[in-house]
Amino acid sequence: PYGLESCGRLVRPLARRGVEIWSGLARGVDQAAHLAALEAEGRTCAVLGAGLLRPYPAGSEALIRRIAERGTALSEYPPTFHARRHFFPRRNALLAAIARDVLVVQAAERSGSLLTAWMALELGGTVLAVPDRIDEPLARGVLELLREGAVPVGSAADIAESLG
């Protein structure tokens, strides 16, 4: 709940300011980011780890349609390709290359969010991270990013200031 609430609180004001919100459509914070951008009548773009006609996670078809109305839904895979485990690191690399600057709201020690963040850093992007409780398993990856120099943020204003 903390991650979902924090995501909405950070993304809505950015989307209202015209910041394009990119994410990977995964359940949890990814979908929360897309929904927050849509609620703010902003532009959001989803990079899928499957074909556009076989979206993953299952049940996300309505959200993809909403995203396509206000932004973009894209995939590097043929439309009927089902999700495969090895597609997701490629999706994360594509996200890092397109968005360049990455906000990590929550991340386990081994997660796609961390992979995207490290790739963004390699490409010269900025990684921002939302601090969380130290006893929270989904905070361990964020703590690692903060140790490595990610910019700590607690508000949309912090993000806007960091990214200029």
Side-chain angles (χ1 to χ4, degrees):
Y2 171 80
L4 300 176
E5 182 183 324
S6 297
C7 178
R9 190 178 303 148
L10 296 169
V11 168
R12 276 189 292 277
L14 294 171
R16 280 187 205 107
R17 287 180 153 177
V19 174
E20 207 169 61
I21 306 300
W22 286 79
S23 198
L25 200 72
R27 280 192 181 89
V29 171
D30 280 22
Q31 287 189 3
H34 292 302
L35 288 167
L38 291 167
E39 289 167 11
E41 298 185 9
R43 186 167 161 80
T44 186
C45 304
V47 179
L48 281 64
L52 289 170
L53 298 178
R54 300 276 190 245
Y56 183 88
S60 57
E61 296 83 3
L63 178 56
I64 290 171
R65 280 192 295 278
R66 288 183 64 200
I67 290 168
E69 289 171 4
R70 297 226 30 111
T72 303
L74 64 93
S75 171
E76 65 179 316
Y77 303 105
T80 59
F81 268 39
H82 290 275
R84 302 280 184 263
R85 174 174 237 138
H86 64 278
F87 288 1
F88 296 104
R90 289 177 52 107
R91 175 206 60 195
N92 294 346
L94 188 55
L95 264 169
I98 293 170
R100 214 173 133 163
D101 300 317
V102 174
L103 170 66
V104 179
V105 175
Q106 287 186 316
E109 286 178 290
R110 298 182 64 151
S111 72
S113 300
L114 287 182
L115 180 62
T116 306
W118 296 130
M119 290 177 183
L121 284 173
E122 285 180 22
L123 294 169
T126 301
V127 173
L128 307 113
V130 178
D132 199 347
R133 295 174 45 109
I134 60 172
D135 61 344
E136 171 62 49
L138 290 176
R140 292 187 181 131
V142 171
L143 182 57
E144 181 182 339
L145 289 173
L146 291 169
R147 284 185 186 127
E148 295 296 324
V151 178
V153 296
S155 69
D158 290 347
I159 296 168
E161 182 181 325
S162 294
L163 300 179

